[in-house]
Amino acid sequence: MKDFEIQDIEVDLLVEALYRRHGYDFRNYARASLKRRVADLAPAFGCATVSELIPRVLHDPELGRQIVPKLSVPVTDMFRDPPVFLSLRRRVLPLLASYPRLNIWQAGCASGEEVYSLAILLREEGLSERAHIYATDINDVALARAEEGVFPLRLLKDFSTNYLKAGGQHSLSHYYHAQYDHARLDPSLRENITFARHNLASDGVFCEAHLILCRNVLIYFDHVLQNRALRLFHDSLVRQGFMCLGNRESLQFSEVVEDFAVTDHEHRIFRKRLLGEPTP
Amino acid sequence: MTGGPWDAVVMGCSAGGLEVLRAILPRLPTGFPLPVVVVAHTSADTGNLLAELLDHCCALPVAVAEDKAPMNGGAIHVAPPGYHLLIERDLTFALSLDAKVCNVRPAIDVLFVSAAEAFSGRLIGVLLTGANEDGRAGLASIKALGGLTIAQDPDTAVAETMPRSAIDAGVVDHVLAPSAIAGFLLANANSR
Ligand SMILES: C[S@@+](CC[C@H](N)C(=O)[O-])C[C@H]1O[C@@H](n2cnc3c(N)ncnc32)[C@H](O)[C@@H]1O
């Protein structure tokens, strides 16, 4: 047997141990990138191999909580892919403006940069009074950072450029205070955001959403888990609700491709199809 | 001449890469049997530009690899700027935003290692011009699993660090000028 095949067994065993001992389910994550992250875990916990880490996963009640943030990838930016936010501003929010109350679910919010981007968008489009954003993730460390709303100042230059490209009506500095080397976002942006832990691999519907943003999360899932998450989004959306995926994610290889209409192909914005609505 | 049969070609380049890709890929004719997968270090905001440029001058279709899409023989698949590109065991593409490797994303190492495993060594790895050491570890994985490895002749490279570091590490089977690489791929692809 080749070394890489032995490492594959180690990954399987570790994932099984994490699931059965700690309840975190990574069994249906896309394997190739998961394998790289699992391989990085061993040295991070002072182990020579992944196998050496397994007894600790089984016998240390705290280890699950420590490992999950290292297996999740909380990489994000404010207004990442600005044209997507411009499209949400121009094509989606005007249609949502007819609802008296709005729920928006951002799944996989990482450290919150996109949530605040959305909150700014809603304010500028005059919808923040009636909108509520649910921002969820499995990574507690990232969620805590998101709730704080404080980001390193050096990142704000790129964020500001993105904001303007996304059709921003002011300068981004309108929404934050610089303190030493960090930027504290205007706390009032947080008033209509709820941060919560929610696992797309194991948890269910928790709100009726008018818009779901889940960008760059499905790439971490295999076919089975991707379909589970997409069904969950479908079940959570109101009639003709909107869903926005990452720039390189599509429904093409999923089971729900017929259940959504394409609103903006380039920016991966979809709309829940009405029952009986003809497919293209 | 060198073993095989081979099931795929993976290729990586950095500084000076576009010109070299333009010297190699247009020479692969329609009907080339293997999938070709390319990682080029470009900045994250260049969108589909590289794929579009190459598509204009190649006989084979060129497109940005989509998450979960199968890889096709006789097509050139390019990593999307800003994302690592990996190959799963079922020979579909996977993307990730995991940390940069060798300071870059997409990283050549990430593609090469996952491809070496997915094809269990039945592949050809090609490392071209570049100014960092990305690709060396990936080429080593390909070679260790029995794959065929090629580096661009450093004397012909705009930036020689990348091919040179792989050659010095002893993981390169053939050192070739860009003008010879397409012919070499054709000869080996058809030997299956
Ligand atoms: C690359 S980040 C995407 C952040 C942001 N949406 C963006 O595109 O900029 C992926 C996030 O997905 C989260 N994630 C991974 N698996 C998850 C799951 N099963 N349920 C919920 N979130 C998950 C990770 O913790 C991480 O924060």
Side-chain angles (χ1 to χ4, degrees):
Chain A
M1 186 177 273
K2 294 175 174 160
D3 281 352
F4 81 87
E5 293 167 318
I6 298 171
Q7 294 155 6
D8 288 347
I9 301 176
E10 291 184 295
V11 174
D12 285 346
L13 294 174
L14 182 100
V15 164
E16 190 69 19
L18 259 184
Y19 174 60
R20 290 177 57 187
R21 175 65 177 85
H22 301 276
Y24 294 107
D25 192 353
F26 288 92
R27 293 175 301 171
N28 287 102
Y29 277 53
R31 270 304 154 117
S33 64
L34 180 68
K35 181 175 181 177
R36 292 191 72 94
R37 294 193 297 282
V38 168
D40 290 343
L41 278 180
F45 288 90
C47 296
T49 61
V50 172
S51 327
E52 255 180 47
L53 185 57
I54 294 171
R56 291 183 45 197
V57 170
L58 293 176
H59 298 296
D60 181 346
E62 287 302 306
L63 215 66
R65 247 176 6 100
Q66 294 170 26
I67 281 182
V68 169
K70 296 197 193 306
L71 289 183
S72 110
V73 186
V75 173
T76 184
D77 287 319
M78 282 187 86
F79 298 97
R80 184 209 293 260
D81 308 319
V84 173
F85 285 87
L86 190 61
S87 184
L88 289 172
R89 194 193 279 273
R90 298 221 171 122
R91 303 178 72 160
V92 175
L93 296 188
L95 292 170
L96 294 183
S98 60
Y99 292 101
R101 302 224 50 84
L102 274 182
N103 286 329
I104 299 177
W105 176 15
Q106 206 217 335
C109 67
S111 44
E113 282 84 335
E114 273 190 355
V115 193
Y116 290 104
S117 309
L118 261 179
I120 290 172
L121 216 59
L122 290 170
R123 181 167 300 180
E124 293 187 355
E125 299 307 312
L127 295 173
S128 42
E129 298 295 307
R130 60 181 114 150
H132 197 88
I133 306 177
Y134 296 91
T136 63
D137 204 285
I138 50 164
N139 183 335
D140 289 339
V141 178
L143 274 174
R145 200 168 303 153
E147 194 147 15
E148 228 185 334
V150 176
F151 302 115
L153 198 55
R154 65 189 154 78
L155 300 179
L156 268 291
K157 188 166 172 280
D158 283 347
F159 291 177
S160 301
T161 314
N162 286 352
Y163 163 76
L164 291 174
K165 286 190 197 156
Q169 294 165 2
H170 308 275
S171 137
L172 189 58
S173 59
H174 189 78
Y175 298 101
Y176 68 85
H177 285 288
Q179 297 171 320
Y180 304 106
D181 55 353
H182 52 258
R184 179 174 297 278
L185 289 182
D186 179 351
S188 70
L189 288 172
R190 207 160 44 211
E191 274 164 15
N192 48 358
I193 306 176
T194 303
F195 294 94
R197 195 201 296 174
H198 180 282
N199 190 337
L200 294 169
S202 47
D203 295 327
V205 173
F206 68 92
C207 75
E208 201 175 52
H210 299 79
L211 165 65
I212 295 176
L213 247 86
C214 182
R215 308 185 64 228
N216 302 308
V217 182
L218 298 182
I219 50 175
Y220 292 101
F221 297 171
D222 74 2
H223 281 285
V224 173
L225 188 49
Q226 181 171 321
N227 282 323
R228 179 192 197 273
L230 286 168
R231 289 208 180 289
L232 185 59
F233 296 154
H234 189 263
D235 292 346
S236 302
L237 282 171
V238 300
R239 283 162 52 94
Q240 294 198 294
F242 290 94
M243 176 173 79
C244 178
L245 303 180
N247 259 9
R248 300 292 177 180
E249 294 169 325
S250 75
L251 297 181
Q252 204 187 332
F253 305 101
S254 79
E255 289 169 7
V256 300
V257 60
E258 313 257 282
D259 300 325
F260 287 91
V262 178
T263 297
D264 179 345
H265 171 73
E266 193 182 348
H267 303 115
R268 310 296 156 120
I269 301 173
F270 305 88
R271 191 170 196 187
K272 181 173 171 174
R273 206 183 277 286
L274 292 174
L275 269 182
E277 189 183 335
T279 50
Chain B
M1 82 198 241
T2 33
W6 313 112
D7 291 342
V9 177
V10 291
M11 207 174 268
C13 62
S14 185
L18 178 59
E19 281 322 302
V20 183
L21 292 175
R22 278 176 147 159
I24 298 171
L25 298 175
R27 298 191 189 192
L28 298 177
T30 310
F32 182 77
L34 308 182
V36 180
V37 189
V38 179
V39 163
H41 298 162
T42 49
S43 73
D45 57 7
T46 51
N48 297 341
L49 190 63
L50 175 67
E52 284 164 7
L53 284 173
L54 291 173
D55 196 44
H56 275 298
C57 60
C58 287
L60 298 177
V62 185
V64 174
E66 294 254 350
D67 188 56
K68 307 268 183 295
M71 47 194 320
N72 300 317
I76 299 170
H77 306 271
V78 180
Y83 292 80
H84 289 306
L85 175 64
L86 304 95
I87 296 172
E88 296 286 351
R89 293 299 144 81
D90 64 0
L91 307 185
T92 56
F93 288 113
L95 303 178
S96 100
L97 285 173
D98 287 15
K100 294 179 176 181
V101 172
C102 295
N103 261 318
V104 286
R105 191 177 54 221
I108 300 165
D109 280 341
V110 173
L111 171 69
F112 281 14
V113 171
S114 68
E117 296 186 3
F119 287 104
S120 199
R122 289 184 315 278
L123 77 170
I124 305 174
V126 185
L127 191 60
L128 304 170
T129 172
N132 73 5
E133 301 195 336
D134 186 22
R136 181 186 54 204
L139 220 52
S141 298
I142 293 175
K143 182 151 174 73
L145 287 170
L148 183 60
T149 57
I150 300 172
Q152 179 180 352
D153 180 349
D155 291 342
T156 67
V158 169
E160 62 163 34
T161 309
M162 214 154 83
R164 173 82 66 203
S165 87
I167 295 167
D168 290 349
V171 298
V172 175
D173 295 318
H174 299 272
V175 176
L176 299 173
S179 57
I181 291 177
F184 184 91
L185 292 176
L186 263 171
N188 283 280
N190 288 325
S191 71
R192 61 201 315 254

